[in-house]
Amino acid sequence: MSEPLLRVEHLKKYFPLRGGLKKNAAFVRAVDDVSFTIRPGETLGLVGESGSGKTTLAQMILGLLPPTEGTITLDGADIWDKAHRAQFHKSIGAVFQDPASSLNPRTTVYRSLERPLELNGYSKGDARDLIYETAEKVNLGRELLERFPYELSGGQQQRVSIARAIMLRPKLLVLDEPTSALDVSVQAQTLNELLELQQKFGLAYLFITHNLSVVRYMSDRICVLYGGKIMELGETEAVYDHYVHPYTLSLLSSVPPLHPSQRNRKKYLLTGDMPSLIGELKGCRFASRCPFAQDSCREAEPECKDMGGEHLAACAFAGELDFQKD
Amino acid sequence: MEEKILQVKELSVSFSGGVQAVSKVSFDLNRGETFALVGESGCGKSTTARAIMRLIRAPGRITGGEVYFEGKELLGLSEKEMTAVRGKNIGMIFQNPLDSLNPVYTSGSQVAEGLIVDKMEKGEAWALVEETFRDVKIPDAEKRVKSYPHEISGGMRQRVMIGMMLCRHPKLLIADEPTTALDVTIQAGIIELMNDLRRKYDTAVLMITHDFGIVADMADRVGVMYAGEIVELGDVFTIFDHPLHPYTRLLMKALPVITKKEGRLETIPGTVPDLSKPIQGCRFADRCPDACDACRQYSPAMVEAEPGHLCACHRVKGGEGNE
């Protein structure tokens, strides 16, 4: 097994709620002790509901938000290490959900693509060659480059964002809901293009989404996040077909069926809301909504158990529960 | 019970610049039935729903067609008469419940308002509001009726909206992407609730969605829209098991139902045509893998390929598929 490209260790992000720096300040534990790795050329899918900490995690990995505790290393170097900062920015790229708001509306697409190259010391001529080359790779016609973002369709705008993200040949791309603003047919196109680029350049992806079908299509491994903690992590097949965490069960059973004949399938619907992440938290985060929760779940936080083959689950009863899969 | 509650006949809507957002859309809804209009953004599904409710704002305009609700034509009614139909006979819920609720009134009082308009006595109305909140499975109903919209979660707000519509027992509920803004776990709860309630009250539902999963979970019949037209219409099982229109077939194959190891998704080349210009021939011809000369010349008519299964495609003639 190759050395991991990205290593996230015991990462925490607590947002102060009031009291600021005072001792008794209350915190929102948005991300709480998360550890995982991404290997070169691999896609790790990150799934979870809104408020689970997906985007906070992405922002920390992109170096946009300093973690409260824990470390992130890319290619063996801490991303907050000043000596490696410039290299870090070149090694990582990002694509966000809304392509329109990630492009400057007042400049042409060409200019949006040229700017990062300028900052990295490319000459005008070299920049032009690279922009044309990259545009071709993401199937963006050369005539579109002189247009403004509003003159492009959503799918085309997203291709511009992808082109910009891969131009400097990063090793890791953070994709935060890259297709949720797109239509099904455009989504299929974008996903296929992302897979092609990955194969061509050996890119690693951190693919963040709430769409469980999209993440299954794209990922080698999947990480299920709930309330700022990892619930289950493993190979795509392990998480989808042999899940052991009750939260994964509820999440997957919430996905609408593929065919009307599955309408009356057994569902494990969640009731209530995600618990508040403020203050001291006791026990398992999912216990308040878990259909299998015991008293002990509310007392002690479950450890991350290895179910074999690097399939991790943070449930005290992982592997012992009868989910009646059908 | 095959009684038609809603009949839409050749409904057309245009916006400024001659954009034909909806062109001659026709479909029927039977009593108690759920009919889904499915399509990608810009296909005219929401505009169709709004046109039925006469909620098209200028410069948009209904340019033709008829809408019959229980045999009564709606497009010719005065605005006052239409107001009596909205909410009372036809309820509607939208994508973002926060936009539909007034932030300065409690959620309960907004639900009660409709009942009081119906000349219900105040105390009685409030009792019914509480009962409705229980009906839509809002926990702590007696407390939640006094909550303001910002104090409750998105899923709960959508439940308030559903309750607000259902407490006046409309015969038809139009739901325009009601779960698109919600998490998948919350969405599953809302779908289950809607399925339970429509059975309980025998309400017909016109579901507007882009998600085939929701269609599979809720619809009895489906209309697939493309570029302002219904291109295929039929029973939900028929549409899923043997779609006839090339657009429906391609769209189904674009759904990510596989893993990357199993293969690649099919894509639909090209883009939706510009609806501000007149289009000759079939609107899907430019993107269709099976297009022939006739497709580029003449617009295909809706034909009944088999009983109850309609399709607008030159390649489909009376039941023979084009697979």
Side-chain angles (χ1 to χ4, degrees):
Chain A
M1 200 122 307
S2 52
E3 263 301 288
L5 173 69
L6 179 86
R7 189 184 281 278
V8 173
E9 279 174 307
H10 303 292
L11 199 62
K12 291 182 186 174
K13 183 69 200 179
Y14 293 177
F15 291 107
L17 206 57
R18 60 187 135 77
L21 298 168
K22 277 184 224 148
K23 252 192 177 166
N24 298 325
F27 291 102
V28 177
R29 293 159 197 262
V31 172
D32 203 359
D33 201 4
V34 164
S35 305
F36 61 83
T37 59
I38 299 178
R39 297 176 199 119
E42 169 190 62
T43 302
L44 178 73
L46 196 59
V47 292
E49 297 174 85
S50 32
S52 61
K54 310 187 289 283
T55 298
T56 307
L57 194 54
Q59 287 185 331
M60 285 194 281
I61 290 169
L62 285 168
L64 298 173
L65 198 66
T68 308
E69 253 176 65
T71 54
I72 305 166
T73 50
L74 187 70
D75 251 350
D78 190 300
I79 67 162
W80 288 93
D81 184 346
K82 283 212 177 69
H84 296 101
R85 199 70 180 158
Q87 185 53 45
F88 164 69
H89 284 301
K90 271 189 227 174
S91 308
I92 197 159
V95 178
F96 298 102
Q97 175 170 359
D98 181 9
S101 64
S102 42
L103 297 170
N104 186 343
R106 293 168 37 138
T107 62
T108 60
V109 166
Y110 184 87
R111 187 62 196 140
S112 283
L113 294 174
E114 192 184 32
R115 182 72 182 145
L117 298 178
E118 208 173 88
L119 292 173
N120 277 285
Y122 278 71
S123 72
K124 286 253 173 203
D126 288 350
R128 194 192 312 117
D129 293 343
L130 185 55
I131 289 169
Y132 285 164
E133 191 192 316
T134 315
E136 204 171 301
K137 277 181 193 127
V138 299
N139 297 323
L140 198 67
R142 208 176 269 196
E143 71 285 358
L144 298 177
L145 294 176
E146 286 312 321
R147 293 203 193 166
F148 287 90
Y150 71 87
E151 296 175 292
L152 303 180
S153 70
Q156 289 167 338
Q157 289 172 349
Q158 200 57 298
R159 273 188 222 141
V160 175
S161 297
I162 293 170
R164 185 171 57 180
I166 62 164
M167 227 167 15
L168 289 165
R169 291 289 160 78
K171 292 172 181 159
L172 174 68
L173 220 52
V174 175
L175 302 152
D176 192 356
E177 304 268 11
T179 60
S180 36
L182 305 177
D183 272 318
V184 175
S185 61
V186 185
Q187 167 176 284
Q189 235 163 34
T190 311
L191 295 178
N192 284 350
E193 281 164 13
L194 282 170
L195 288 177
E196 227 168 87
L197 289 171
Q198 178 168 47
Q199 277 183 344
K200 222 182 265 175
F201 300 119
L203 279 166
Y205 289 156
L206 175 65
F207 198 98
I208 301 172
T209 179
H210 65 275
N211 187 323
L212 293 151
S213 320
V214 169
V215 82
R216 174 165 172 257
Y217 177 57
M218 295 298 287
S219 309
D220 299 297
R221 289 190 303 141
I222 287 176
C223 176
V224 182
L225 215 59
Y226 181 82
K229 279 193 172 292
I230 293 179
M231 296 288 118
E232 190 158 1
L233 172 68
E235 303 270 332
T236 301
E237 290 76 18
V239 172
Y240 267 79
D241 304 329
H242 310 286
Y243 49 83
V244 292
H245 199 289
Y247 179 62
T248 315
L249 166 78
S250 327
L251 202 57
L252 291 175
S253 99
S254 299
V255 178
L258 301 172
H259 192 273
S261 61
Q262 294 158 10
R263 215 171 261 192
N264 297 319
R265 70 207 183 279
K266 183 154 174 56
K267 282 179 256 186
Y268 290 86
L269 293 183
L270 292 180
T271 51
D273 292 320
M274 196 179 280
S276 159
L277 301 175
I278 301 166
E280 283 302 318
L281 304 169
K282 215 165 76 170
C284 172
R285 296 276 161 101
F286 186 54
S288 61
R289 299 167 87 190
C290 179
F292 303 95
Q294 306 283 326
D295 286 341
S296 59
C297 297
R298 290 178 197 98
E299 293 302 319
E301 194 169 304
E303 276 174 43
C304 230
K305 283 198 245 178
D306 194 338
M307 310 303 294
E310 292 188 38
H311 179 185
L312 304 174
C315 172
F317 300 101
E320 297 165 30
L321 300 169
D322 179 17
F323 291 155
Q324 295 171 19
K325 290 174 196 176
D326 50 345
Chain B
M1 210 164 37
E2 286 289 290
E3 196 189 335
K4 286 185 177 32
I5 189 159
L6 182 78
Q7 286 171 282
V8 177
K9 287 184 181 167
E10 305 210 328
L11 184 67
S12 298
V13 181
S14 307
F15 287 102
S16 59
V19 176
Q20 271 279 329
V22 176
S23 318
K24 297 195 173 175
V25 161
S26 303
F27 62 93
D28 300 334
L29 233 92
N30 297 321
R31 201 170 285 277
E33 172 186 64
T34 298
F35 182 81
L37 270 184
V38 62
E40 300 185 278
S41 38
C43 73
K45 54 190 192 301
S46 287
T47 307
T48 303
R50 280 166 191 263
I52 293 168
M53 281 294 247
R54 294 210 1 222
L55 293 172
I56 302 286
R57 279 199 202 147
R61 193 160 71 79
I62 297 171
T63 50
E66 288 147 29
V67 176
Y68 293 94
F69 175 74
E70 294 196 303
K72 187 166 67 175
E73 215 281 320
L74 296 182
L75 300 184
L77 294 182
S78 70
E79 190 53 36
K80 200 177 164 194
E81 288 167 316
M82 192 61 208
T83 307
V85 173
R86 289 190 200 115
K88 181 71 192 144
N89 294 319
I90 309 179
M92 186 159 185
I93 51 175
F94 297 90
Q95 179 169 344
N96 188 350
L98 201 56
D99 291 343
S100 311
L101 289 166
N102 190 328
V104 300
Y105 292 101
T106 61
S107 49
S109 69
Q110 298 183 57
V111 178
E113 191 188 347
L115 297 169
I116 291 165
V117 167
D118 285 350
K119 310 244 162 20
M120 191 181 271
E121 190 261 320
K122 242 184 163 178
E124 205 183 326
W126 273 96
L128 184 59
V129 170
E130 246 191 72
E131 196 189 311
T132 305
F133 271 49
R134 266 180 225 115
D135 224 11
V136 294
K137 306 211 168 56
I138 295 178
D140 293 333
E142 57 287 349
K143 263 196 247 160
R144 288 289 154 250
V145 292
K146 294 186 198 116
S147 297
Y148 288 90
H150 73 267
E151 297 175 310
I152 53 179
S153 66
M156 285 304 143
R157 284 179 206 137
Q158 201 57 291
R159 282 172 195 263
V160 170
M161 287 308 299
I162 292 171
M164 185 191 291
M165 292 306 137
L166 289 179
C167 70
R168 295 173 80 188
H169 302 298
K171 294 185 182 105
L172 169 65
L173 179 66
I174 302 179
D176 189 357
E177 304 261 12
T179 60
T180 307
L182 305 173
D183 268 320
V184 60
T185 52
I186 311 295
Q187 165 174 290
I190 297 282
I191 290 175
E192 178 139 299
L193 176 74
M194 288 187 71
N195 275 336
D196 286 350
L197 291 175
R198 76 180 177 95
R199 269 181 226 121
K200 188 168 163 187
Y201 295 111
D202 199 27
T203 313
V205 178
L206 173 61
M207 187 81 192
I208 311 293
T209 182
H210 69 279
D211 186 340
F212 271 100
I214 290 175
V215 176
D217 224 355
M218 293 188 74
D220 299 310
R221 288 191 306 131
V222 188
V224 181
M225 283 190 80
Y226 179 77
E229 292 176 334
I230 292 186
V231 294
E232 185 162 8
L233 192 154
D235 174 79
V236 66
F237 283 91
T238 314
I239 297 288
F240 273 84
D241 290 337
H242 46 105
L244 290 174
H245 199 282
Y247 176 65
T248 317
R249 286 192 284 125
L250 285 171
L251 206 54
M252 295 267 187
K253 285 186 188 151
L255 297 173
V257 295
I258 50 171
T259 65
K260 63 179 173 186
K261 285 175 201 148
E262 289 165 343
R264 290 289 175 269
L265 300 173
E266 293 238 9
T267 58
I268 307 178
T271 50
V272 183
D274 183 353
L275 296 179
S276 64
K277 299 190 182 88
I279 298 164
Q280 200 182 15
C282 171
R283 296 184 172 200
F284 190 59
D286 281 345
R287 306 174 75 184
C288 182
D290 305 322
C292 57
D293 287 343
C295 300
R296 289 184 195 95
Q297 302 236 311
Y298 315 105
S299 174
M302 260 314 218
V303 276
E304 191 155 17
E306 51 195 331
H309 188 182
L310 287 84
C311 182
C313 177
H314 286 305
R315 299 291 211 136
V316 178
K317 288 277 184 304
E320 24 176 302
N322 52 351
E323 292 184 40

